[in-house]
Structures are given as structure tokens and as C-alpha cells.
Amino acid sequence: MTLIYKILPRSAWESALSAGRFTGSEVDLADGFIHFSTAAQAGETAARHFKGQPDLVVLEVEGDDLGEDLRWEPSRGGDLFPHLYGDLRAAVVRRVMSAPLGGDGVPVLELSS
């Protein structure tokens, strides 16, 4: 089992729920895939890309549920990151967690390990 995580605004997730799928954030759409992180990578992702952004959620997804559309590709520091080439179906999201901002403005993540 390989759990992966997507951080996004709660409003984007609520829209995705209504549509039955998440098609990606502005950055995802520009890059051509939906960015995910492993539990070990998510803290740095939160600090680099989501600092100061209120009302975020973290989606937990089993990577195997995404099939061949999920690819592990080098990114930050040469680490392999999970990238989804396609829409994220709402039905495969296993858990949705709030990510409140900590005192330093970085979202606090409580992920499965």
C-alpha cells in the first residue's frame, strides 16, 4: 500500500466533489499532471507551496487505485514524486483531512505513515 497526498483549498475539493472528479489546480493544469506527495514529502510541499493559505484540506489516496495514470518522476532534489496524468476521481479519495495553519503559517498535516 502506497498512500499519497494532495493539498488543496477546501473550495476546490468541494467543487471536485460536486463534479465527481478533481481536474487539477492552476499549477497542475500548467504542468500537465496533478501533483501529489508522499507522507515524507508533504511537509516540505506544504511549507514551500501553501504557507499562509487558509482553509486547506489534504486528500489521502492509495496510489495503486490510480492505475497506469500515476507515474513516479524526479522532482525536488531528484526525489521521485507521484504525478497523476488524468483526473482524480472523487471516489478513490480514502480520507480528507483539514490542514489548519500553524503559528508559522505553514499548514499542519496529520498524515498516515
Side-chain angles (χ1 to χ4, degrees):
M1 185 150 103
T2 305
L3 296 174
I4 58 174
Y5 300 91
K6 175 66 181 171
I7 304 169
L8 70 162
R10 184 179 308 277
S11 60
W13 175 238
E14 289 170 354
S15 294
L17 276 176
S18 295
R21 69 186 195 284
F22 177 68
T23 58
S25 67
E26 188 174 313
V27 169
D28 297 328
L29 294 172
D31 289 345
F33 55 83
I34 297 176
H35 293 264
F36 280 85
S37 299
T38 65
Q41 298 163 336
E44 187 174 349
T45 297
R48 280 181 174 236
H49 302 288
F50 295 94
K51 186 172 184 174
Q53 294 184 40
D55 205 24
L56 297 171
V57 295
V58 182
L59 309 181
E60 181 180 84
V61 176
E62 167 52 51
D64 292 342
D65 291 344
L66 301 177
E68 294 179 3
D69 289 341
L70 183 69
R71 299 182 197 151
W72 292 83
E73 300 175 318
S75 189
R76 194 167 59 222
D79 285 347
L80 295 179
F81 277 74
H83 296 154
L84 179 62
Y85 287 83
D87 295 346
L88 173 64
R89 292 176 294 116
V92 301
V93 174
R94 294 190 172 210
R95 190 164 65 130
V96 179
M97 300 154 280
S98 292
L101 296 180
D104 59 359
V106 174
V108 176
L109 309 179
E110 295 185 18
L111 309 178
S112 303
S113 45

